[in-house]
Amino acid sequence: MGDGSGVSRGDRNRNARLARLRVLVPATNAIVGIDLADKKQMVVVTDHDSKVLARKTFRCRAWDLGAALDWAAERAAARGWAGVTVACEPTEHRWRVLGQLAADRAMPFVCVQPMLTSWARRSEDLTSDKTDEKDAVLIARLTAQLRCYVPEPVDETWGRLRHLGARREQLIIEMVSQIQQIRALLECVRPAALDTAKQPFRSRTWAAAMTAICQRDGGDLARTRRLGAARFEQAVRREITRRGGCEPSLRILRHLFTALTDPTGVTAHRPVRWSGSRSCCRTGRPPPTSSPTPRPG
């Protein structure tokens, strides 16, 4: 929405962001574009028209780039620039190392998104050719256009959140793979169980009931059928209580008990493959899901 001046709130936010970036990328500073790698670092010094003033390859680790920054500052000063702005892509941990080295020398530091570099690489010569020399110049050019961002400050809280985010991503990948494994096993030996709930792997009742069946049967569903519907419900209620739940979904329980008589599936593989499903259900928790909280049913 505008305020009568013809400038919207989005325009004001963008102008403020550009102003913050201009402080880090002033017109009096040359731009040092660095393509980070493990043992080979490509460093270029450019002006704001992305004309290369100096270029050098440093065969060193990221922690040894202090000499490269000093070299770039000397080359920029020799060309009459007041200082340098350091720019790179956020490559693994190396960009944090470079940011600290730049801060130690009072050099402004910004990052360029790898996606923008990829697009710029194609627009440069209509090819996807990737070289360290070209990427370093593209990073400097995007920085001169203020198509960069200010990285997060280095502190203990930020570092901890970053580690927790990486761990969360690992857990999500592991949970999804376990769900796919359990689904593949059941589709082979007992597909009827997957049709007893709309979203079985998000149902606390379905998880508790499958746990009770797996722990009791070992592939012989006749043992659970002999319990009867009432005793089967009691066994599932005990399992749900142990998991911290409340009331089960009676509809899912009835469907699961009825599915015990369904002959569909490779019955010869049940004693073998059922043990794989049973091991996933013995953890005392519902099967892993992509949702943080299982649905009540």
Side-chain angles (χ1 to χ4, degrees):
M1 296 295 292
D3 56 1
S5 65
V7 179
S8 67
R9 181 175 60 182
D11 292 332
R12 290 193 296 271
N13 292 338
R14 181 176 180 274
N15 292 342
R17 179 175 60 83
L18 292 176
R20 292 192 298 270
L21 289 174
R22 180 54 69 191
V23 172
L24 297 175
V25 193
T28 57
N29 275 15
I31 301 173
V32 180
I34 303 179
D35 185 63
L36 295 172
D38 185 17
K39 297 180 181 179
K40 177 185 175 183
Q41 323 297 338
M42 174 55 63
V43 181
V44 297
V45 183
T46 71
D47 61 10
H48 285 253
D49 293 328
S50 70
K51 295 180 180 178
V52 178
L53 307 177
R55 178 195 300 275
K56 189 173 182 179
T57 300
F58 290 83
R59 298 191 178 278
C60 62
R61 301 281 188 176
W63 277 112
D64 299 322
L65 276 173
L69 296 182
D70 296 336
W71 170 85
E74 293 174 0
R75 292 297 183 274
R79 294 297 188 98
W81 295 91
V84 297
T85 296
V86 182
C88 71
E89 290 180 331
T91 307
E92 298 181 356
H93 65 281
R94 302 182 185 97
W95 66 283
R96 272 301 175 197
V97 176
L98 181 61
Q100 180 170 318
L101 294 174
D104 294 341
R105 291 162 175 77
M107 295 178 178
F109 176 71
V110 295
C111 287
V112 175
Q113 289 285 359
M115 180 176 61
L116 290 180
T117 307
S118 176
W119 290 346
R121 190 183 303 121
R122 291 180 173 86
S123 64
E124 182 83 0
D125 52 11
L126 300 180
T127 69
S128 58
D129 180 38
K130 175 176 172 54
T131 62
D132 296 342
E133 294 80 1
K134 179 187 292 187
D135 284 358
V137 175
L138 291 178
I139 290 170
R141 190 183 79 184
L142 292 171
T143 302
Q145 297 171 356
L146 298 185
R147 300 177 68 183
C148 53
Y149 67 93
V150 183
E152 300 86 349
V154 180
D155 56 27
E156 181 180 353
T157 302
W158 184 94
R160 180 59 177 163
L161 288 175
R162 184 176 176 85
H163 296 159
L164 291 175
R167 177 57 178 162
R168 180 179 183 273
E169 183 177 0
Q170 293 174 355
L171 291 175
I172 290 176
I173 294 174
E174 181 181 356
M175 287 189 293
V176 172
S177 65
Q178 289 181 7
I179 288 176
Q180 296 302 326
Q181 180 185 11
I182 297 174
R183 184 185 297 276
L185 293 173
L186 289 177
E187 284 179 350
C188 177
V189 301
R190 195 186 169 207
L194 295 173
D195 298 330
T196 57
K198 185 176 181 180
Q199 294 181 323
F201 295 100
R202 294 188 178 187
S203 169
R204 191 187 300 271
T205 300
W206 188 89
M210 290 300 296
T211 300
I213 294 172
C214 290
Q215 290 178 344
R216 181 178 182 83
D217 286 347
D220 182 11
L221 300 181
R223 297 188 59 190
T224 302
R225 289 199 300 268
R226 287 195 295 267
L227 277 179
R231 294 178 61 188
F232 176 66
E233 179 183 339
Q234 293 176 3
V236 175
R237 285 181 181 274
R238 288 194 298 268
E239 181 62 27
I240 289 182
T241 302
R242 188 171 66 85
R243 293 166 176 252
C246 298
E247 291 294 323
S249 169
L250 299 181
R251 174 183 56 83
I252 294 178
L253 283 181
R254 289 194 298 269
H255 290 171
L256 271 174
F257 189 78
T258 303
L260 292 173
T261 59
D262 193 311
T264 307
V266 185
T267 56
H269 288 186
R270 282 183 181 177
V272 178
R273 295 201 171 188
W274 203 255
S275 61
S277 298
R278 182 175 10 176
S279 63
C280 296
C281 296
R282 280 182 173 175
T283 60
R285 299 185 301 271
T289 67
S290 56
S291 175
T293 305
R295 296 185 177 182

